[in-house]
């Protein structure tokens, strides 16, 4: 049995790649601080492996991987690397202080990728794979190898590659369905054949990494588990390149709910699924569709009268999981105008936020302001308030929203007067006109800030039901080089939320901008 750093048990190892493949989602981009916050939540969730990033891809990613490796204890911390010496050494540099480091090397193995992406023959690729794994194993005893586009690779060649990399020191071999091409029957059979045809396969853990181009990523991952795979890779909320990766929460809860069928499960703290999902949605700026399995707002709501009637008589008539088991807290009314600091601190503690005295002192007036505006303050409102608080402390060092006044409607030319705090501590107020109030707000902000950008996406969602709900605005802007940055803002007034979101996007552009790279394999 291989000496991997993840104990080789019969449980399913959960490998989270939200911070790597998830960050490859078009329009995504996290600051090192945001990545760290997600890693801390993944630690609470109890994932076995955190793929913290791709250290060689940019200085910012290196920094994020290194900080996670140094400060997050428990999970294996992994960095991705192309099969080239510079990447492998950078990955090792970034993770070497982790208690349990892993290097994950990938290299294309399908004919179509070898011919067009790599422009190399099969024997050269095999040699590169062995050299890369040998180098990674000289640094680190835990090495994962991924033959990219495995499901479109000639199976005989795939078996040869897997055997060779295991001999070279790979302790996990990952079978990626890189383009989401496979289906459960075919993918299950491929995994079965890997066990039958790779002579030294018992020395490694077999992993799978499925993309969701045909909506089959979770089903394919589960078919692989049925056929012996014991590591599943995926992302929270199904984020990832193109249509995303397998939704980890779906795979985890399928194993949990149908252990009778799969005969195995993960060791995830499932109550942390909800908080993890909300944090990832918030920091990535990708809202969760209401009917999304496990974590969507409607996942545990019963609409039909017939269902409601039966559910009230016996919950299991229409519920296969307990909502609380995935951290679903419903819309419990928790706080009001009269609640004090201790009540606020205690409720936030229940929601997973530990506040210092200074943080509480800073937050309390904002909470009171909200409680004055709203009839009732729910858990979701509190979470929105905390998101707002973090946004300002982490990325809004540059420009600060200070105030906005608009004139709008179809009887005037919409205009906005916006006051923004500048990096030098001063404030500036500008009035501008636009096609509507949000356009006017953005035009006014544009006259204050540097660098300039284009607004490409604007979406409003309400955090809770009701006319007095907090509105969460997500804005995406594009810089002169075509890079996209998300910004979020929340307020009971959506014009205020829009101004905050736009300024947040501009600040994030300032933090992330110089760090964006677009590396290819042949560099
Ligand atoms: O989809 C893929 O093949 C990947 C590899 C790097 C594992 O993300
Ligand atoms: Zn992938």
């Amino acid at each position: 049995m291989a000496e991997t750093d993840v104990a080789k048990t019969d449980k399913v190892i959960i490998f989270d790649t939200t911070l790597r493949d998830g960050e490859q989602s078009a329009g995504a981009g996290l600051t090192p601080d945001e990545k760290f916050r997600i890693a801390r939540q993944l630690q609470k969730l109890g994932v076995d492996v955190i793929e913290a990033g791709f250290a060689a891809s940019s200085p910012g990613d290196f920094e994020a991987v290194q900080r996670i490796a140094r400060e997050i204890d428990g999970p294996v911390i992994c960095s991705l690397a192309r099969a080239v010496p510079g990447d492998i050494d950078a990955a090792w540099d970034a993770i070497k202080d982790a208690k349990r480091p892993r290097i994950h090397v990938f290299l294309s193995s399908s004919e179509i990728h070898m011919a067009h992406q790599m422009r190399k023959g099969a024997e050269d690729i095999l040699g590169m794979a062995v050299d890369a794994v040998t180098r990674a194993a000289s640094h680190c005893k835990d090495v994962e190898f991924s033959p990219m586009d495995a499901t479109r690779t000639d199976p005989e060649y795939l078996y040869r590659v897997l055997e060779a990399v295991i001999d070279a020191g790979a302790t996990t071999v990952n079978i990626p369905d890189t383009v989401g091409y496979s289906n459960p029957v075919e993918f299950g059979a491929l995994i079965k054949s890997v066990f039958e045809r790779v002579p030294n396969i018992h020395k490694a853990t077999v992993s799978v990494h499925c993309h969701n181009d045909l909506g089959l990523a979770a089903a394919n991952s589960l078919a692989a588990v049925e056929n012996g795979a014991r590591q599943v890779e995926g992302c929270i909320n199904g984020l990832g390149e193109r249509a995303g990766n397998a939704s980890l929460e779906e795979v985890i809860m399928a194993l949990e709910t149908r252990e009778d069928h799969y005969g195995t499960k993960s060791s995830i703290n499932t109550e942390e699924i909800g908080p993890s999902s909300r944090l990832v949605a918030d920091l990535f700026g990708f809202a969760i569709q209401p009917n999304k399995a496990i974590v969507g707002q409607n996942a545990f709501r019963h609409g039909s009268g017939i269902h409601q009637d039966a559910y009230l008589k016996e919950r299991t008539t229409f519920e296969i999981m307990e909502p609380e088991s995935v951290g679903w807290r419903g819309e419990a009314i928790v706080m009001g105008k009269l609640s004090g600091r201790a009540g606020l601190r205690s409720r936030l503690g229940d929601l997973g936020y530990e506040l210092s005295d200074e943080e509480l002192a800073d937050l309390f007036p904002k909470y009171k302001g909200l409680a004055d505006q709203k009839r009732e303050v729910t858990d979701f409102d509190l979470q929105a308030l905390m998101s707002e608080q973090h946004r300002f402390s982490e990325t809004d060092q540059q420009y600060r929203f200070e105030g906005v006044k608009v004139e709008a409607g179809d009887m005037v030319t919409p205009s906005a007067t916006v006051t923004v705090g500048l990096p030098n501590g001063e404030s500036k107020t500008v009035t501008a006109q636009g096609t509507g109030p949000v356009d006017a707000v953005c035009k006014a902000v544009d006259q204050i800030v540097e660098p300039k950008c284009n607004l490409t996406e604007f979406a409003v969602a309400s955090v809770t039901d009701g006319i007095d709900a907090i509105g969460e605005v997500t804005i995406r802007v594009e810089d002169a080089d075509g890079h996209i940055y998300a910004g979020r803002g929340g307020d009971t007034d959506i014009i205020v939320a829009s101004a905050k979101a736009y300024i947040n996007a501009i600040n994030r552009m300032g933090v992330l901008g110089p760090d964006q790279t677009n590396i290819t394999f042949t560099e």
Side-chain angles (χ1 to χ4, degrees):
M1 190 178 288
E3 243 235 58
T4 67
D5 210 4
V6 170
K8 198 165 180 196
T9 63
D10 200 42
K11 77 163 193 170
V12 175
I13 294 162
I14 299 295
F15 177 115
D16 179 282
T17 183
T18 308
L19 297 176
R20 198 278 297 169
D21 215 320
E23 221 211 357
Q24 289 173 217
S25 311
L30 299 174
T31 64
D33 268 347
E34 290 168 336
K35 285 191 149 200
F36 184 73
R37 282 182 60 206
I38 291 178
R40 220 169 36 199
Q41 179 57 37
L42 293 173
Q43 175 190 33
K44 270 187 163 173
L45 178 63
V47 303
D48 301 285
V49 186
I50 296 178
E51 186 160 57
F54 184 171
S57 70
S58 71
D61 226 34
F62 183 94
E63 186 196 320
V65 176
Q66 189 174 55
R67 177 163 179 216
I68 292 167
R70 288 181 175 164
E71 296 182 42
I72 299 289
D73 207 1
V76 169
I77 307 296
C78 167
S79 171
L80 187 68
R82 293 170 298 182
V84 293
D87 272 32
I88 294 165
D89 296 349
W92 176 241
D93 258 0
I95 59 166
K96 64 177 180 233
D97 295 333
K99 289 224 171 73
R100 305 167 74 205
R102 173 181 296 185
I103 300 175
H104 177 191
V105 178
F106 73 101
L107 182 59
S108 289
S109 59
S110 65
E111 249 174 57
I112 190 165
H113 277 211
M114 290 192 293
H116 300 290
Q117 188 192 20
M118 304 300 299
R119 304 208 171 123
K120 286 191 192 313
E123 294 314 309
D124 287 343
I125 293 286
L126 186 59
M128 274 177 83
V130 169
D131 289 350
V133 170
T134 306
R135 190 175 188 103
S138 74
H139 293 310
C140 183
K141 66 176 178 164
D142 189 345
V143 176
E144 173 166 335
F145 179 78
S146 290
M148 190 153 78
D149 204 16
T151 49
R152 294 192 300 169
T153 296
D154 168 16
E156 296 300 327
Y157 180 63
L158 180 67
Y159 308 142
R160 275 181 67 207
V161 172
L162 296 179
E163 183 180 356
V165 295
I166 294 172
D167 276 344
T171 46
T172 297
V173 286
N174 183 37
I175 313 297
D177 184 21
T178 303
V179 289
Y181 179 71
S182 201
N183 62 63
V185 171
E186 193 181 273
F187 196 57
L190 178 67
I191 300 303
K192 185 163 183 273
S193 76
V194 163
F195 281 103
E196 289 165 354
R197 298 292 309 283
V198 178
N200 53 1
I201 198 71
H202 59 284
K203 293 187 180 165
T205 298
V206 174
S207 168
V208 291
H209 175 110
C210 298
H211 278 269
N212 207 29
D213 300 66
L214 294 172
L216 293 171
N220 286 344
S221 306
L222 291 164
V225 170
E226 286 175 326
N227 285 281
R230 283 297 175 268
Q231 176 175 287
V232 174
E233 303 193 357
C235 295
I236 303 294
N237 298 344
L239 294 182
E241 189 77 51
R242 303 182 311 282
N245 289 73
S247 265
L248 278 184
E249 62 276 11
E250 292 175 14
V251 173
I252 292 163
M253 289 315 291
L255 293 173
E256 192 77 20
T257 309
R258 296 304 313 276
E259 193 184 352
D260 62 317
H261 174 78
Y262 293 106
T264 178
K265 60 177 189 165
S266 72
S267 58
I268 290 293
N269 305 321
T270 60
E271 300 80 16
E272 290 296 334
I273 286 178
S276 307
S277 162
R278 287 191 284 274
L279 181 69
V280 166
D282 184 31
L283 295 184
F284 275 81
F286 290 124
I288 303 166
Q289 77 197 56
N291 60 323
K292 166 82 177 63
I294 320 293
V295 292
Q297 239 179 24
N298 287 352
F300 295 97
R301 279 178 170 169
H302 302 275
S304 124
I306 295 172
H307 288 212
Q308 286 171 357
D309 175 56
Y311 167 84
L312 290 171
K313 289 176 180 145
E314 167 54 42
R315 185 190 66 79
T316 54
T317 48
F318 283 97
E319 250 176 34
I320 59 167
M321 294 164 270
E322 287 187 21
E324 296 75 17
S325 72
V326 294
W328 184 253
R329 296 188 176 89
E331 288 156 21
I333 296 161
V334 290
M335 308 278 291
K337 247 168 110 138
L338 300 177
S339 309
R341 279 164 205 258
L344 178 62
R345 168 174 267 156
S346 149
R347 191 62 208 159
L348 286 171
D350 291 345
L351 297 176
Y353 299 101
E354 303 303 332
L355 266 70
S356 67
D357 289 347
E358 297 77 55
E359 283 168 332
L360 186 66
D362 192 29
L363 186 73
F364 195 65
K366 294 175 191 151
Y367 163 72
K368 278 288 185 193
L370 181 64
D372 273 343
Q373 282 171 35
K374 296 199 72 204
R375 281 170 293 126
E376 51 205 28
V377 179
T378 68
D379 287 350
F380 290 122
D381 291 318
L382 291 179
Q383 272 156 348
L385 203 62
M386 286 307 295
S387 303
E388 199 56 27
Q389 186 79 348
H390 277 122
R391 268 195 284 279
F392 278 86
S393 56
E394 281 175 356
T395 50
D396 286 69
Q397 316 89 339
Q398 287 217 67
Y399 296 107
R400 297 169 315 281
F401 167 78
E402 290 186 351
V404 61
K405 191 175 98 186
V406 293
E407 193 172 23
D410 59 1
M411 292 164 70
V412 288
T413 304
S415 73
T417 302
V418 184
T419 304
V420 175
L422 306 178
N424 65 6
E426 290 171 10
S427 298
K428 190 165 178 186
T429 301
V430 164
T431 300
Q433 293 186 328
T435 51
V438 174
D439 186 44
V441 164
C442 296
K443 291 214 163 87
V445 172
D446 283 343
Q447 291 180 40
I448 301 174
V449 302
E450 286 292 343
K452 305 294 176 213
C453 59
N454 265 334
L455 192 149
T456 57
E457 194 184 312
F458 174 85
V460 192
S462 88
V463 174
T464 45
D465 293 335
I467 196 73
D468 58 356
I470 290 189
E472 280 268 0
V473 171
T474 304
I475 274 177
R476 285 196 158 73
V477 300
E478 190 179 33
D479 69 12
D481 298 324
H483 296 129
I484 308 275
Y485 307 87
R488 305 249 283 168
D491 200 276
T492 47
D493 180 325
I494 62 159
I495 300 298
V496 173
S498 305
K500 287 179 177 175
Y502 193 54
I503 293 169
N504 181 238
I506 286 159
N507 282 332
R508 290 169 53 80
M509 184 164 80
V511 174
L512 290 164
D515 198 38
Q516 299 264 346
T517 57
N518 191 13
I519 58 174
T520 65
F521 208 93
T522 41
E523 270 168 7

